[in-house]
Amino acid sequence: MPGYTHLQLAQPVRSSDWGLSFGMAFATDLKRLREVAKRVNRSLPGYGSLAENPFGIGRETMAEELGFDGLFWNTMSAVADRDFVVETMQSGARLMQHMSRWAEDMIIYSTGEFRFIILADAYSTGSSLMPQKKNPTVWNCWEGRVEGYSAKWQAS
């Protein structure tokens, strides 16, 4: 297939290289999300709003029964920690960015100028002014969702 840089014809590339570039990005994103899940899956039970409770509950047993991978070992750090939120959002934002890049390629490649992809009518809408035109609605909607998520990530 023709390769493009800055939407200008550049050099021939294999379509498998194009597809695998997204496969590699998504695989890396999945790995990051799994690493975050493992790192943040720690148990808080037994802690109050500031320090450990005086009742001597079996925190290790409780964490194991609830499916946590470990415990927070410092009470003050545990109740003040919000890193899990930031790490999860960061990994999610990166995944969304890669999905947005894929959606943008699909939008461009489904246009009349490129014609690499023919989108089924069920996944497109027509234009009110030009009924012969097919708009890739499914990918446009996806991009809109990604932009909303990215804005929320940047605002946090």
Side-chain angles (χ1 to χ4, degrees):
M1 70 183 274
Y4 294 84
T5 58
H6 310 281
L7 289 178
Q8 298 178 57
L9 194 57
Q11 68 186 57
V13 297
R14 292 186 174 106
S15 58
S16 59
D17 285 340
W18 172 80
L20 282 173
S21 72
F22 290 104
M24 294 298 296
F26 296 146
T28 302
D29 293 337
L30 181 59
K31 181 179 177 185
R32 281 189 190 106
L33 286 167
R34 285 180 175 154
E35 289 169 355
V36 167
K38 188 175 181 180
R39 194 167 36 258
V40 303
N41 190 27
R42 294 183 288 167
S43 176
L44 283 171
Y47 290 167
S49 60
L50 177 63
E52 192 168 351
N53 76 50
F55 303 118
I57 65 170
R59 293 184 56 239
E60 291 86 359
T61 304
M62 186 182 291
E64 185 179 321
E65 287 180 9
L66 292 173
F68 288 101
D69 293 328
L71 298 170
F72 278 96
W73 291 106
N74 180 281
T75 56
M76 295 179 121
S77 173
V79 296
D81 181 49
R82 299 298 179 262
D83 291 351
F84 69 96
V85 175
V86 174
E87 282 192 69
T88 303
M89 288 182 69
Q90 183 180 33
S91 295
R94 191 172 289 128
L95 171 63
M96 295 290 250
Q97 181 185 25
H98 290 143
M99 293 179 102
S100 175
R101 198 180 87 212
W102 175 77
E104 183 62 28
D105 276 6
M106 299 303 274
I107 290 167
I108 291 169
Y109 291 165
S110 69
T111 64
E113 291 79 11
F114 286 81
R115 296 182 197 261
F116 293 165
I117 299 166
I118 298 172
L119 194 59
D121 291 340
Y123 302 105
S124 60
T125 57
S127 167
S128 59
L129 184 61
M130 300 172 282
Q132 79 284 2
K133 186 177 167 225
K134 280 173 109 173
N135 294 321
T137 308
V138 73
W139 292 312
N140 285 331
C141 288
W142 178 253
E143 278 206 311
R145 288 189 181 270
V146 168
E147 293 303 320
Y149 187 87
S150 294
K152 288 175 186 173
W153 160 242
Q154 290 174 5
S156 68

